[in-house]
Amino acid sequence: MPLRIQFARYGGPEVLEAVDVAVPAPGPGELRIRHRAIGINFVDTYLRSGVYPVAALPSGLGSEAAGVVEAVGTDVGDFAPGDRIAYADGPLGAYAEMRLLPARHAVKLPPAVDFETAAALLLKGLTVQFLLERTCRPQPDESILWWAAAGGVGLLACQWARAAGIRLIGVVGSDAKATQARAAGAFATIVWPREDVVARVRELTAGAMLRVVYDSVGRDSFTTSLDCLAPFGLLVSFGNASGPVTGVDLGILARKGSLYLTRPTLATHLASRERLDAGAAALFQRVREGALQVHIGQRWPLREAAAAHRALAARQTVGASLLLP
């Protein structure tokens, strides 16, 4: 029977277990998919640990993968067995050799995009797209700050910013990661916590500070991010790598310059089929043009999902990470 990674209680990577499960025929509106590559994302650690509680336990994990359609249910008109597909926002369960997926979450892969590229690109690329084109659209020659610039999302953001003429200042955790971010297109890098982020931003902007900061770190970087903003600036908080931001005194936004704060999610931006298709088409076009290149830094066998989570938590990864069935 197909292998699936699941967890029956919240906790560290050790709660992940490999089990054999039967995958039935697809129901109405569903696809049965055999995965070829599975994306690992930091949000997976939030779900496993209980930062984001799941609907019920035991639960599968993962919401991004690429593979081949093996069977289609009734009321599915856009897909057929043999289609190459990927998805980025499906129900939990991507950490598996085979699964059922509502067809509305899947997009077809063009011939030029292979399974590993798709599994490493779709969720992270769509995240960069909604952050830089929908949440706040920086202008050419504008400076922005991006935390975790050498991660899977961050390296795509560096490339996206370079193509758009945006000066992305990337916060990274080591000199090696700084080199990776600059090679991908970062205008400048800050190695944190060795360097003072606020002081470096002030230096790089000649004291003007920033109109927008993109922060995926969360608790440990929240105040620093606010201090990098100019009056009326916007903090886009889109991750909790160091833990969630809690107990926020809204008055701090007033005291630091009538600032704005938002916490957007990819799921909201992909709620309609039209937005999903448009976003995926734009991403795949950028790949075909060479404007976006996916850096896959790590690959693990599916059974070693716990090891992948340990590396992710220890900040030992660069670029995208994959599980391979």
Side-chain angles (χ1 to χ4, degrees):
M1 288 190 292
L3 180 73
R4 157 182 155 122
I5 302 297
Q6 66 179 34
F7 59 105
R9 58 187 174 88
Y10 297 120
E14 70 279 357
V15 303
L16 298 179
E17 56 181 354
V19 298
D20 293 324
V21 296
V23 180
E30 289 184 328
L31 308 174
R32 188 172 68 201
I33 301 165
R34 182 170 291 278
H35 290 147
R36 299 293 181 84
I38 300 157
I40 304 172
N41 296 283
F42 213 94
V43 68
D44 301 343
T45 69
Y46 304 157
L47 293 158
R48 184 210 70 226
S49 65
V51 172
Y52 294 166
V54 299
L57 294 172
S59 172
L61 192 59
S63 58
E64 179 184 35
V68 177
V69 175
E70 288 205 335
V72 301
T74 58
D75 302 326
V76 176
D78 298 331
F79 298 93
D83 283 346
R84 301 167 64 254
I85 64 94
Y87 60 93
D89 70 327
L92 295 181
Y95 285 22
E97 292 178 338
M98 184 186 297
R99 72 167 301 177
L100 297 179
L101 179 77
R104 74 175 188 85
H105 295 288
V107 296
K108 292 183 181 179
L109 294 182
V113 179
D114 62 62
F115 292 117
E116 290 195 5
T117 296
L121 169 73
L122 196 57
L123 186 149
K124 302 169 187 67
L126 291 172
T127 297
V128 172
Q129 181 188 46
F130 89 73
L131 290 172
L132 290 179
E133 294 195 346
R134 295 177 183 169
T135 304
C136 180
R137 186 188 290 268
Q139 301 302 305
D141 294 325
E142 180 177 359
S143 294
I144 67 174
L145 187 70
W146 195 288
W147 290 82
V153 172
L155 289 177
L156 289 175
C158 290
Q159 295 176 66
W160 199 296
R162 176 171 58 187
I166 300 164
R167 293 193 298 267
L168 185 148
I169 303 168
V171 182
V172 297
S174 68
D175 291 324
K177 290 186 175 184
T179 299
Q180 290 273 352
R182 288 195 299 270
F187 166 73
T189 53
I190 303 171
V191 180
W192 176 74
R194 188 182 75 205
E195 295 184 90
D196 185 322
V197 175
V198 178
R200 283 284 286 139
V201 167
R202 184 174 292 111
E203 175 188 350
L204 290 165
T205 63
M209 309 309 280
L210 304 166
R211 184 173 68 99
V212 58
V213 170
Y214 295 92
D215 187 340
S216 61
V217 174
R219 181 183 58 211
D220 291 352
S221 57
F222 180 71
T223 302
T224 299
S225 290
L226 293 178
D227 288 340
C228 290
L229 290 168
F232 310 109
L234 170 65
L235 171 54
V236 181
S237 177
F238 69 100
N240 307 318
S242 66
V245 178
T246 59
V248 176
D249 170 16
L250 289 180
I252 196 172
L253 302 178
R255 293 191 295 273
K256 291 183 178 294
S258 299
L259 304 179
Y260 295 87
L261 171 66
T262 186
R263 183 62 171 85
T265 68
L266 179 63
T268 307
H269 284 273
L270 298 185
S272 73
R273 180 79 222 186
E274 293 74 19
R275 281 196 170 195
L276 173 59
D277 286 340
L283 279 178
F284 296 149
Q285 179 64 28
R286 285 175 180 260
V287 172
R288 285 194 294 268
E289 294 171 348
L292 283 182
Q293 296 180 352
V294 180
H295 175 69
I296 301 171
Q298 302 75 214
R299 296 171 176 84
W300 286 271
L302 177 59
R303 286 185 178 273
E304 297 181 14
H309 276 222
R310 291 188 188 98
L312 200 64
R315 298 183 182 178
Q316 295 173 345
T317 63
V318 175
S321 301
L322 295 179
L323 294 173
L324 301 179

